[in-house]
Short mmCIF file of all heavy atoms in Angstrom, two decimals:
data_model
loop_
_atom_site.label_atom_id
_atom_site.label_comp_id
_atom_site.label_asym_id
_atom_site.label_seq_id
_atom_site.Cartn_x
_atom_site.Cartn_y
_atom_site.Cartn_z
N TRP A 538 120.20 84.33 52.60
CA TRP A 538 118.82 83.97 52.29
C TRP A 538 117.93 84.34 53.46
O TRP A 538 118.35 84.25 54.62
CB TRP A 538 118.71 82.48 51.98
CG TRP A 538 119.62 82.08 50.87
CD1 TRP A 538 120.83 81.45 50.98
CD2 TRP A 538 119.43 82.32 49.46
NE1 TRP A 538 121.39 81.28 49.74
CE2 TRP A 538 120.56 81.80 48.80
CE3 TRP A 538 118.43 82.92 48.71
CZ2 TRP A 538 120.71 81.87 47.41
CZ3 TRP A 538 118.57 82.98 47.33
CH2 TRP A 538 119.70 82.46 46.70
N ASN A 570 114.53 78.56 42.38
CA ASN A 570 113.40 77.81 42.90
C ASN A 570 113.65 77.53 44.38
O ASN A 570 114.75 77.12 44.75
CB ASN A 570 113.30 76.44 42.20
CG ASN A 570 112.81 76.55 40.78
OD1 ASN A 570 111.64 76.84 40.55
ND2 ASN A 570 113.69 76.32 39.83
N HIS A 571 112.63 77.74 45.21
CA HIS A 571 112.77 77.36 46.62
C HIS A 571 111.66 76.38 46.98
O HIS A 571 110.48 76.71 46.85
CB HIS A 571 112.69 78.58 47.53
CG HIS A 571 113.75 79.60 47.27
ND1 HIS A 571 115.05 79.46 47.69
CD2 HIS A 571 113.71 80.76 46.57
CE1 HIS A 571 115.77 80.50 47.29
NE2 HIS A 571 114.98 81.31 46.60
N PRO A 572 112.00 75.18 47.43
CA PRO A 572 110.99 74.21 47.86
C PRO A 572 110.63 74.46 49.31
O PRO A 572 111.42 74.17 50.21
CB PRO A 572 111.71 72.86 47.67
CG PRO A 572 113.17 73.17 47.76
CD PRO A 572 113.37 74.63 47.47
N MET A 573 109.45 75.02 49.55
CA MET A 573 109.08 75.44 50.90
C MET A 573 108.31 74.32 51.61
O MET A 573 107.33 73.79 51.10
CB MET A 573 108.25 76.72 50.85
CG MET A 573 108.99 77.90 50.22
SD MET A 573 110.60 78.30 50.99
CE MET A 573 110.08 78.77 52.64
N CYS A 620 112.78 76.68 53.66
CA CYS A 620 113.24 76.23 52.36
C CYS A 620 114.02 74.94 52.58
O CYS A 620 114.83 74.84 53.49
CB CYS A 620 114.13 77.29 51.73
SG CYS A 620 114.89 76.73 50.18
N HIS A 621 113.75 73.95 51.73
CA HIS A 621 114.40 72.65 51.91
C HIS A 621 115.74 72.54 51.20
O HIS A 621 116.36 71.48 51.20
CB HIS A 621 113.47 71.51 51.48
CG HIS A 621 113.54 70.34 52.40
ND1 HIS A 621 114.59 69.45 52.38
CD2 HIS A 621 112.72 69.91 53.39
CE1 HIS A 621 114.40 68.53 53.31
NE2 HIS A 621 113.27 68.78 53.93
N LEU A 622 116.22 73.63 50.58
CA LEU A 622 117.59 73.60 50.07
C LEU A 622 118.49 73.74 51.30
O LEU A 622 118.40 74.73 52.03
CB LEU A 622 117.83 74.72 49.06
CG LEU A 622 116.97 74.65 47.79
CD1 LEU A 622 117.28 75.82 46.87
CD2 LEU A 622 117.18 73.33 47.06
N HIS A 625 120.29 76.90 52.14
CA HIS A 625 119.46 78.11 52.29
C HIS A 625 118.77 78.15 53.66
O HIS A 625 118.20 79.16 54.03
CB HIS A 625 118.34 78.14 51.24
CG HIS A 625 118.81 78.33 49.84
ND1 HIS A 625 117.93 78.61 48.81
CD2 HIS A 625 120.04 78.30 49.28
CE1 HIS A 625 118.62 78.71 47.67
NE2 HIS A 625 119.89 78.52 47.94
N MET A 629 116.43 81.10 55.46
CA MET A 629 115.07 81.02 54.91
C MET A 629 114.26 80.02 55.75
O MET A 629 113.94 78.93 55.30
CB MET A 629 115.14 80.59 53.45
CG MET A 629 114.11 81.24 52.56
SD MET A 629 114.32 80.79 50.85
CE MET A 629 114.88 82.31 50.13
CU1 CU B 1 115.84 78.17 49.07
#
Side-chain angles (χ1 to χ4, degrees):
W538 303 101
N570 287 289
H571 300 282
M573 299 305 296
C620 174
H621 220 284
L622 297 180
H625 292 191
M629 217 176 249

